[in-house]
Amino acid sequence: MAVRRAPKALLFDVQGTAVDFHSTVSAEAQRISAGRCPGVDWADFVHRWRAAYSAALKDASGDRWTSVHSVYRDALDRLLQQDGITAFTEPEREELALAWQKLVPWPDTVEGLNRLKTRYTVATLSNADVSAVVNLSKRAGLAWDAVFTAEMAGAFKPDPVTYRMAATYLGLPPAEIMMVACHKYDVRAAGALGMQTAFVARPLEFGPGGDPDVSFEDEFDVNATDFLDLAHQLGC
C-alpha cells in the first residue's frame, strides 16, 4: 500500500462512487412515465438533471441550508417545464424525485465494503441528506459504521467545514482518515486538509454514453478500479 501511513477510517462519497445513480434514476423515469413520453431520451434527461443538481450545490449558500431533496425536486420541475413534459402528476413528480433514494450499488460495492470493514472504520461523507443516505443504504445493503453528510455540517462538499465535521465525529486527525471518491474535486478537497486520498474510477457513472474522468493521478495516495481493488490495495 503506497500511502503515507495506514488510515484508521475511510470516508466514502456515495452517489456515483458507491451507488449507480444514472441507471437507477433512468429506469425509474421510464417506469413512472409508463410510455406516455415516447420521444423523451430519459438517459439524457437524467444526465441533465444531475448537472442541474451539481450546479445548484455550487451556488448554495451556507447561510441558509437547503435540503438536497428540494434541490433535486426544483431541478426536476425546471427540466420538465423546459422540455415541455406535462405527463407527470404531482405525486409522480415527487416519486421520481425520490428515485435518488433507491440507488443500487455497483456490483463490487457490498463485497468491497464488507472486506474493508474488517480492518477500517467505514463511513459516508455525502452531499445527500441524512435520510436519503440512510434509506438508500438500507435498500442497497451498505453496512456503514457511521453516516455523515453535508446536512450535518450545513455546507456542501467541497467546503472544508464538511470534511472537518466528519473528522471531528470520528475523533481522528485528518492524516488518519482516507477520503474515497470517484470525483477528483472531492478527494482533492480532502487532501488539501491533510486527509489521505483514494480515487476510484467509475467509467459508467453517467451511463454507457457518458464521459467521466477516470484517469489515475499520481497526486492521489491510492488509485483503484473499484472497491475490491481498493480493499486489496489496503490489505483486506
Side-chain angles (χ1 to χ4, degrees):
M1 180 177 64
V3 296
R4 289 165 276 169
R5 181 174 58 180
K8 293 182 179 179
L10 309 178
L11 288 173
F12 289 80
D13 172 63
V14 178
Q15 296 179 128
T17 301
V19 294
D20 176 5
F21 75 86
H22 191 275
S23 296
T24 307
V25 179
S26 296
E28 280 293 282
Q30 291 177 331
R31 181 186 66 80
I32 295 169
S33 64
R36 289 171 293 172
C37 309
V40 176
D41 181 344
W42 289 116
D44 176 69
F45 185 92
V46 170
H47 180 71
R48 291 186 290 121
W49 189 6
R50 176 61 181 264
Y53 150 80
S54 298
L57 292 196
K58 290 181 181 178
D59 294 337
S61 169
D63 295 333
R64 183 179 178 183
W65 177 253
T66 302
S67 73
V68 170
H69 177 69
S70 68
V71 173
Y72 280 134
R73 178 58 196 270
D74 290 346
L76 171 63
D77 288 341
R78 288 196 304 272
L79 278 177
L80 290 174
Q81 181 178 19
Q82 174 185 313
D83 291 2
I85 300 173
T86 60
F88 291 102
T89 64
E90 174 63 24
E92 287 173 336
R93 289 181 180 223
E94 185 64 11
E95 184 180 8
L96 182 53
L98 287 170
W100 295 91
Q101 297 190 20
K102 300 178 181 179
L103 307 185
V104 298
W106 296 108
D108 56 274
T109 296
V110 173
E111 182 182 350
L113 281 180
N114 288 338
R115 284 171 53 180
L116 289 162
K117 275 173 62 72
T118 64
R119 184 169 181 178
Y120 307 98
T121 295
V122 296
T124 71
L125 186 56
S126 172
N127 274 335
D129 302 323
V130 173
S131 60
V133 174
V134 170
N135 291 339
L136 75 84
S137 295
K138 287 179 71 66
R139 289 176 63 97
L142 307 182
W144 309 107
D145 293 313
V147 168
F148 306 125
T149 80
E151 185 178 17
M152 299 167 68
F156 294 111
K157 297 184 296 181
D159 191 312
V161 70
T162 308
Y163 304 90
R164 293 189 181 115
M165 172 274 297
T168 297
Y169 277 117
L170 287 170
L172 295 172
E176 295 182 356
I177 301 170
M178 175 175 283
M179 183 69 210
V180 182
C182 68
H183 310 120
K184 293 181 179 179
Y185 79 86
D186 202 351
V187 287
R188 284 175 175 142
L193 296 176
M195 290 185 180
Q196 298 186 45
T197 55
F199 171 73
V200 177
R202 291 300 187 192
L204 294 177
E205 180 184 5
F206 302 114
D211 187 29
D213 183 356
V214 295
S215 60
F216 288 174
E217 308 283 356
D218 291 339
E219 67 185 283
F220 304 133
D221 294 301
V222 174
N223 288 280
T225 56
D226 57 23
F227 281 12
L228 295 175
D229 183 29
L230 177 65
H232 174 73
Q233 292 191 56
L234 294 182
C236 299

